[in-house]
Amino acid sequence: MLSFRVENRKLKATSRPRPKLRPGWARVRVRFVGICNTDVELLHGYYNFRGVPGHEFVGTVEELRGVSAAQKKKWLGRRVCGEINISCRALGRRHVCNFCRRGLKTHCAHRTVLGIIGHPGAYAEYLTLPMENLHIVPDGIRDEKAVFVEPLAAACEILQQVDVGKFREAAVLGDGKLAQLIARVLETAVPRVVMYGKHEKKLGLARRAGIQTKKVRGDASDLRRVKENFPLVVEATGSPNGLALAQHITEPRGTIVVKSTFHGTAPVETWPIVVKEITVVGSRCGPFAKAIALLRSGKIDPLPLVTRIFSLASAREAIGYAQQPGVMKVLLKT
Ligand SMILES: [Zn+2]
Ligand SMILES: [Zn+2]
């Protein structure tokens, strides 16, 4: 099968046998892959990563191992997306870790992560995942939408962590791919959502989805220029400057949700957290079922966020294109 590996900060095409299966695992024929900023960071040396990247996918279940006939009937040939954290039980460990025992599989002490840590990802014709990670994609959701389930689930994680229904308004800092999904998710539960971003075109995408927008410069001058305050602020700029602005515009006793995972340090003073008694919540992977339900209901349509679709064979060109200014989601089709 064709796959692409990150090696020495380059994406290289390789041909290798189809992956073998452990009991309880599935082999999935990849249909579409989404290029995530994390993939770009892995390419640039984040996590000292070597291997096949890609964790946003939709595919078809092609083979299963060690499952009942009923399970086979249910899953074979079905379109699926998959949770990316692979935890103790699926890894075949006799003793499950404390976090798995508490039901926190995304924080498993021994976890591998599809296309990020220790498990080959979706920039390939086939991938493997434990059955317990898979979710069936309903027929009404086409591939180009289903490939957004993973990042949309990450946006939905905020709904699990914060009782957003009690807020009348919220701000989203950032206008990139994840910020766009977060703003759309908040918009389903909070009466007024305002996106602060640097890029007029990207802010325009948000406005077309009914989200208010404000343009900022993305530097320290924003601290003087932005006057509004919010009880809930989501930092999704992907930039070291975002957290300082988030603190600045958060009300006393407000909540900041931190979503950016840029590599490096953020230059922030922490006194505003103390003085305003701000709650800071880190937020990562989220509930797939909720993301699938939002796509199915039509409440969220991610298609306007797709800038371009490449073939898997053009993955190198595609990841280069994904880093161009103004480009939103780039997909690979196998
Ligand atoms: Zn991602
Ligand atoms: Zn575990």
Side-chain angles (χ1 to χ4, degrees):
M1 69 166 189
L2 171 66
S3 70
F4 283 84
R5 285 177 63 81
V6 171
E7 256 170 52
N8 302 321
R9 307 196 171 201
K10 288 208 172 67
L11 196 61
K12 290 185 182 163
T14 60
S15 175
R16 48 176 48 210
R18 287 183 200 181
K20 295 211 167 66
L21 291 180
R22 297 160 176 262
W25 284 55
R27 184 164 65 230
V28 176
R29 174 89 167 85
V30 177
R31 298 165 72 92
F32 276 86
V33 189
I35 295 182
C36 174
N37 287 349
T38 301
D39 305 343
V40 173
E41 296 222 301
L42 294 177
L43 185 64
H44 294 318
Y46 187 45
Y47 278 124
N48 276 325
F49 179 83
R50 288 167 75 91
V52 182
H55 55 275
E56 302 176 3
F57 74 92
V58 56
T60 308
V61 176
E62 194 203 61
E63 199 182 325
L64 302 165
R65 194 172 153 212
V67 301
S68 67
Q71 286 280 76
K72 281 197 170 165
K73 198 170 169 211
K74 177 181 171 196
W75 289 94
L76 277 179
R78 298 301 298 270
R79 281 190 315 142
V80 292
C81 48
E83 296 186 41
I84 68 176
N85 298 282
I86 302 160
S87 59
C88 285
R89 227 182 52 190
L91 293 170
R93 298 184 72 92
R94 280 237 185 98
H95 301 287
V96 302
C97 75
N98 267 330
F99 300 101
C100 282
R101 223 172 287 146
R102 286 158 57 191
L104 303 173
K105 285 185 354 183
T106 59
H107 293 283
C108 170
H110 307 290
R111 76 194 165 101
T112 60
V113 185
L114 179 73
I116 300 176
I117 304 170
H119 189 72
Y123 286 33
E125 288 176 283
Y126 297 90
L127 60 80
T128 62
L129 271 180
M131 295 283 300
E132 65 180 35
N133 284 47
L134 299 181
H135 294 259
I136 287 176
V137 175
D139 289 341
I141 305 175
R142 57 191 266 206
D143 286 342
E144 295 89 332
K145 290 186 180 182
V147 74
F148 280 89
V149 168
E150 195 278 334
L152 186 58
C156 291
E157 176 71 352
I158 297 169
L159 306 178
Q160 310 265 86
Q161 297 174 294
V162 180
D163 180 9
V164 300
K166 72 181 186 197
F167 297 109
R168 294 208 44 77
E169 50 185 9
V172 176
L173 307 189
D175 53 18
K177 299 182 281 289
L178 183 57
Q180 297 275 347
L181 294 174
I182 290 167
R184 284 160 176 76
V185 166
L186 290 181
E187 185 81 358
T188 64
V190 180
R192 177 171 180 255
V193 177
V194 185
M195 172 181 281
Y196 287 81
K198 289 197 293 186
H199 309 94
E200 192 43 50
K201 255 179 98 175
K202 295 181 182 179
L203 293 174
L205 281 171
R207 279 196 298 276
R208 259 164 270 149
I211 296 152
Q212 292 184 32
T213 64
K214 302 245 163 106
K215 194 149 178 234
V216 288
R217 291 183 189 163
D219 59 27
S221 73
D222 293 334
L223 298 180
R224 291 194 311 275
R225 294 167 57 244
V226 180
K227 303 280 190 231
E228 252 192 315
N229 271 201
F230 294 85
L232 174 63
V233 177
V234 180
E235 197 289 294
T237 60
S239 136
N241 292 327
L243 192 54
L245 181 61
Q247 292 182 6
H248 176 68
I249 69 168
T250 302
E251 282 178 12
R253 292 276 170 98
T255 299
I256 300 176
V257 178
V258 184
K259 272 290 189 189
S260 289
T261 52
F262 60 85
H263 206 38
T265 55
V268 290
E269 298 187 75
T270 51
W271 62 263
I273 296 173
V274 179
V275 172
K276 291 201 269 184
E277 300 189 319
I278 292 170
T279 301
V280 180
V281 181
S283 179
R284 181 168 42 93
C285 297
F288 271 49
K290 176 70 181 172
I292 290 169
L294 283 173
L295 291 174
R296 191 182 201 177
S297 69
K299 282 186 185 149
I300 290 181
D301 177 12
L303 283 186
L305 301 179
V306 177
T307 307
R308 196 166 152 190
I309 300 173
F310 289 82
S311 70
L312 175 66
S314 305
R316 284 180 61 169
E317 191 193 338
I319 204 163
Y321 180 77
Q323 295 170 68
Q324 301 299 311
V327 172
M328 297 298 279
K329 186 59 86 183
V330 175
L331 303 179
L332 303 175
K333 186 177 191 299
T334 65

